[in-house]
């Protein structure tokens, strides 16, 4: 990091200048053939491998300066294996089909005008992320593949790592003859850059925060431009009276304990009063074997007395941990009501063999993802078959649920005439 | 308008209370069968007719208090014919197909999970509009049809008219057994309501401003939630050297002069230097016959000397009037460059018989709508076959171009399993 670039940071308009360069690059990228964008991904993957030692050195610098928690230090740490994973990830993106130029719909008007909706890149994305340096490579790769220019702003603790990874991405763009300004990183750790990005209406088209809840909430509160993110994943699994007991036990164990820390993990079990007496004790013992603790309402504790009592606040808490809130409800409507009050619009699941009830549940939540007889932990771009995801969104417009390449595109209408004028 | 309701206006949280009621109503509306929403539209149309005199009285009150321009007064004025047009509009919406519940895509994963994207209402829309009272009926109708709840905030000058129209919409909802809170109006003319709506993150899902540029820009600057709008329509028509001259003359006359005041009207003619000497004089005389004035660059004035000179600012001006900016350009790339610098991302057109050049133009603009051999004035929901439109959007996410019923929906993923758990 040269002093001159550090200085540039304090230059007002550094982000604006980057965004203007990105706009020019985005026009070229948007019109580039698939093969060129894929070539850039392959070349960037090789560059990551070839500059592995430089990247590890930069990462060592970051680690040396780092004074935070061990868990955070682990996320910040790069290894040869993690660099190879980044490189492989870019190659996998190259193998995915091009989301740009798809004809989404097409029709002809009585006056002969042909109208079609064609998928186009969004334009310029701003990705603001925390410790994990690999996010820079993943996000840049997804943007290149989808024809978007991107401005990356990593955490200050991973600054040198981000610069080194960025150099590899730029090498990939160069090798493919694509404009280097298609992938840029904030020139310094100046926090002003984040505010500048969030205010850059007309310059940056979409902001994607990748990180903890506090980052996401800051971004959602300050941003003057659309934000694609989820602040929390308070997911529910409702076990209906017509649930097949063994299936219910298997699913809730997976939904809570497979990885309790991911946003798609179930945080609250809603169990129907008609089945709770026979099923809840088994579920509790299954989960206790896996090391899960409980916060249960009075009706659940009447069935399993040694569960610790839940406060009202517990039902609005995203544990991201081996803790499960439990409430007994009377029927699907009560479950939907609980979700409407406490849910975060991320993912909900119902376990039942009754299709009518399942349909009512599917239609009755307005969460981004709703599941029937499956684990909420399936809420993932890879599991959805998207090949790669940039995050999971709970907003109500444009992108919802796992966000893959297709949702990094927008569209334009093309109107093909033969000289028509409007009456 | 009772004093008590006026008082309510100053109650802090009036909008929040309305939005919370709307959220409950929206859940019912989202799950209501098509026939009920259509029935509400038919009944509201009848209610508009039956309460015609009440509406005209309310409108007379507004007109009596009104002190603005004549043009504005005309937009504010309701007549029996205009009320009938509103009613007919609602009946036409009822005839359109239901945008909710469409299966947008569907696939099966190797593990047997069925995943489908299903169209759902967005939730709660906030529509902020100026003088024309009919916007209240049109917007409410589109929201009911698309299963969205709506909070309407009309201009203070049309307050009584808006209340009377709202009463008819509520009568329609009641007749169909749908919740009245699905369509609400701000309880007073308090401007604070607008700010409250723009700040209502999590309460209102999408803001749609309908009005002049100053309103739209205020909304875009203040809003903390997604906004669907266009601030300006600075549309270009590029006449390429391979344009068929008669077609080019016919189209540019229509694109500029059919209705110079609409957002899809062409504001700037870009004419290729290869064809300008032979074609520009005819175009100028055609347009002059129609009463059009010009702001031309030096190269255009070298061909038609008596054109008045354009300033650089003229090429960034949305005239909305019988004035055309004219520039001579060398080839399609120069035209695209001009559009990239001066365009508003609304609608651009190319006139040419060369498909290669047309394709380059179609791919080279990132405007919401791009046309080949057609008049930019075709940028309209009705002309696109949408049946009805709530506005035209130039944003880059979610909705672009004419916004009909489909783009008043979002989607959810439904994941249908048979007990799958994630490895």
């Amino acid at each position: 990091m040269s002093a001159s670039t550090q200085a540039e940071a304090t230059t007002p308009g550094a982000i604006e200048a980057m965004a203007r360069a990105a706009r020019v690059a985005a026009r070229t990228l948007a019109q580039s053939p698939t093969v060129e964008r894929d070539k850039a991904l392959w070349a960037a993957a090789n560059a990551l491998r070839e500059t592995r030692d430089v990247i590890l050195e930069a990462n060592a610098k970051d680690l040396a300066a780092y004074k935070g928690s061990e868990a955070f230090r682990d996320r910040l740490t790069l290894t040869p294996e993690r660099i190879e994973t980044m490189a492989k990830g870019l190659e996998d993106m190259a193998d995915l089909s091009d989301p740009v130029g798809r004809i989404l719909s097409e029709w002809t008007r009585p006056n002969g005008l042909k109208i079609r909706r064609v998928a186009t890149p969004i334009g310029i994305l701003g990705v603001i992320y925390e410790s994990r340096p690999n996010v820079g490579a993943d996000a840049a790769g997804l943007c290149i593949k989808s024809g978007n220019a991107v401005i990356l702003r990593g955490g200050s603790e991973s600054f040198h790592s981000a610069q080194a990874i960025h150099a590899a991405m730029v090498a990939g763009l160069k090798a493919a003859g694509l404009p280097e300004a298609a992938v840029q990183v904030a020139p310094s750790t100046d926090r002003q850059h984040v505010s500048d990005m969030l205010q850059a209406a007309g310059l940056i088209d979409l902001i994607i925060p990748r990180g903890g809840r506090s980052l996401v909430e800051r971004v959602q509160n300050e941003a003057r431009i659309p934000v694609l993110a989820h602040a929390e994943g308070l997911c529910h699994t409702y076990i209906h009276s017509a649930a097949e007991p063994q299936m219910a036990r298997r699913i809730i164990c997976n939904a809570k304990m497979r990885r309790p820390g991911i946003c798609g993990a179930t945080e609250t079990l809603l169990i129907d009063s008609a089945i709770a007496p026979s099923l809840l004790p088994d579920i509790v013992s299954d989960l206790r074997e896996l090391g899960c603790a409980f916060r249960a309402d009075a009706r659940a504790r009447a069935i399993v007395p040694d569960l610790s009592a839940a406060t009202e606040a517990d039902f609005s808490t995203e544990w991201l941990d081996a803790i499960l809130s439990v409430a007994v409800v009377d029927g699907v409507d009560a479950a939907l009501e609980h979700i409407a009050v406490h849910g975060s619009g991320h993912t909900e699941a119902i376990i039942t063999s009754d299709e009518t009830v399942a349909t009512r549940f599917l239609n009755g939540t307005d969460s981004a993802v709703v599941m029937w007889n499956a684990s909420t932990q399936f809420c993932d771009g890879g599991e959805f078959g998207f090949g790669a995801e940039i995050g999971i969104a709970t907003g109500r417009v444009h992108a919802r649920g796992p966000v893959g390449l297709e949702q990094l595109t927008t569209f334009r209408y093309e109107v093909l005439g033969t000289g028509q004028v409007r009456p």
Side-chain angles (χ1 to χ4, degrees), chain A:
Chain A
M1 190 62 211
S2 75
S4 69
T5 338
Q6 283 288 5
E8 194 186 324
T10 57
T11 314
I15 292 295
E16 177 173 347
M18 291 168 71
R20 295 198 182 284
R23 184 70 66 191
V24 177
R27 287 175 59 201
T28 306
L29 203 63
Q31 298 170 63
S32 64
T34 312
V35 290
E36 281 182 15
R37 280 172 279 134
D38 290 344
K39 185 178 176 192
L41 294 172
W42 286 98
N46 291 336
L48 282 172
R49 295 188 179 102
E50 286 162 4
T51 61
R52 191 183 72 184
D53 298 345
V54 182
I55 295 171
L56 291 172
E57 256 172 56
N59 185 241
K61 249 196 203 173
D62 287 331
L63 289 168
Y66 182 67
K67 295 184 181 40
S69 76
E70 273 318 299
F72 211 78
R73 172 180 295 274
D74 173 66
R75 292 206 289 275
L76 176 56
T77 303
L78 288 174
T79 64
E81 297 65 34
R82 288 180 174 182
I83 292 172
E84 177 54 30
T85 306
M86 273 192 268
K88 187 69 180 54
L90 295 175
E91 290 170 346
D92 292 344
M93 289 176 206
D95 291 337
L96 296 173
S97 61
D98 188 354
V100 179
R102 291 170 298 132
I103 293 182
L104 305 172
S105 58
E106 213 170 1
W107 63 97
T108 303
R109 298 289 302 151
N111 60 10
L113 284 179
K114 279 197 180 50
I115 304 181
R116 60 188 182 206
R117 275 177 72 168
V118 181
T120 65
I122 289 170
I124 298 174
L125 308 191
V127 176
I128 299 169
Y129 61 101
E130 288 175 327
S131 59
R132 298 182 195 274
N134 63 294
V135 172
D138 299 348
L142 284 161
C143 288
I144 291 170
K145 180 76 184 193
S146 55
N148 293 291
V150 62
I151 295 174
L152 299 162
R153 205 291 187 178
S156 50
E157 67 289 338
S158 62
F159 182 75
H160 297 96
S161 312
Q163 297 283 330
I165 290 167
H166 172 248
M169 299 308 299
V170 168
L173 289 164
K174 276 169 104 163
L178 291 171
E180 301 178 29
V183 177
Q184 301 177 68
V185 286
S188 81
T189 59
D190 187 342
R191 284 182 62 80
Q192 182 61 36
H193 292 321
V194 175
S195 307
D196 291 346
M197 287 172 73
L198 299 180
Q199 303 295 317
L203 294 167
I204 297 175
D205 302 309
L206 182 67
I207 291 284
I208 301 178
R210 285 292 306 272
R213 183 171 173 176
S214 63
L215 170 72
V216 173
E217 286 181 342
R218 177 193 167 188
V219 165
Q220 287 175 327
N221 293 334
E222 281 186 31
R224 290 289 188 197
I225 44 187
V227 175
L228 199 152
H230 70 277
E232 61 173 354
L234 207 162
C235 306
H236 297 76
T237 295
Y238 166 54
I239 300 180
H240 176 250
S241 55
E244 197 281 291
Q246 297 314 314
M247 181 194 291
R249 290 170 65 172
R250 195 168 68 247
I251 288 178
I252 189 65
C253 285
N254 183 266
K256 174 76 254 185
M257 295 302 293
R258 174 186 161 272
R259 282 183 60 194
I262 67 172
C263 61
T266 288
E267 302 292 9
T268 299
L269 165 65
L270 301 173
I271 185 163
D272 202 279
S273 53
I275 200 176
S278 60
L279 187 56
L280 185 56
D282 293 337
I283 287 174
V284 168
S285 62
D286 290 349
L287 284 165
R288 278 189 168 150
E289 264 179 41
L290 298 169
C292 184
F294 300 87
R295 302 285 186 276
D297 72 353
R299 299 177 71 185
R301 293 171 62 234
I303 297 164
V304 185
D306 65 343
L307 296 175
S308 41
T311 64
E312 185 60 19
D314 289 337
F315 290 106
S316 302
T317 301
E318 181 186 24
W319 299 112
L320 296 173
D321 197 357
I323 302 171
L324 182 67
S325 305
V326 183
V328 174
V329 295
D330 301 316
V332 63
D333 288 335
L336 289 170
E337 183 57 35
H338 181 104
I339 291 167
V341 172
H342 299 284
S344 62
H346 191 294
T347 301
E348 328 298 342
I350 180 172
I351 317 300
T352 184
S353 51
D354 181 329
E355 179 164 8
T356 313
V357 173
T359 303
R360 170 132 190 75
F361 186 86
L362 293 171
N363 296 332
T365 71
D366 58 10
S367 295
V369 181
V370 54
M371 301 185 170
W372 176 21
N373 289 343
S375 166
T376 55
Q377 299 224 356
F378 278 114
C379 182
D380 170 85
E383 292 296 329
F384 271 50
F386 294 169
E389 77 170 26
I390 200 161
I392 294 186
T394 53
R396 287 165 185 270
V397 291
H398 192 67
R400 307 189 78 199
V403 180
L405 288 167
E406 287 193 9
Q407 288 185 1
L408 291 181
T409 64
T410 182
F411 62 85
R412 67 166 167 262
Y413 289 106
E414 295 183 351
V415 180
L416 313 180
T418 51
Q420 286 87 342
V421 297
R422 185 170 172 186

